[in-house]
Amino acid sequence: MRYAGKPLTVQPGEDLPLSDLRNVRFQHDGTPPRKVSSVQQYIRDTFQQQVIGYGGCVEWPPRSPDLNPMDFFLWGYIKQRVYVTPPPTLQELRNRITGACASVLPAMLYNVQREVQSRVQMCIVAEGHHFEHDR
């Protein structure tokens, strides 16, 4: 979810004040679990005209990794560090994931931000159409 353009994290069981809900947008990624009719109805009831993506008032292509830092940076970085060798135990897998997340430095995030800006520029030049880029 997004709040006034910034990511919003709500803990399980925590309610948002109604006054804040006006500024929240649900960015729907189009994954099958969120396409179930009961889930769709809940999203429409909760967010009304504030849905970005699948079935929302602001369309967004499903699984669009070209602009999503989680796809073009974080998951690959984490997997690269976690699976250098197969983790022998579930606890070791957890430890590696935690360590990989902790190893993300502010300078890396700055570079990711610059990369997002670069990719947005490429989208503008391509007028929103599909394009290939080397990175």
Side-chain angles (χ1 to χ4, degrees), residues 108-133:
M108 296 164 74
L109 297 177
Y110 175 77
N111 289 335
V112 169
Q113 177 187 0
R114 290 182 54 213
E115 179 66 16
V116 169
Q117 292 169 343
S118 170
R119 289 169 184 243
V120 167
Q121 271 307 119
M122 288 185 272
C123 284
I124 291 169
V125 168
E127 296 180 338
H129 297 286
H130 179 77
F131 62 92
E132 297 291 330
H133 57 89

Side-chain angles (χ1 to χ4, degrees), residues 2-13:
R2 306 193 87 46
Y3 175 75
K6 295 177 263 184
L8 173 70
T9 304
V10 179
Q11 300 302 318

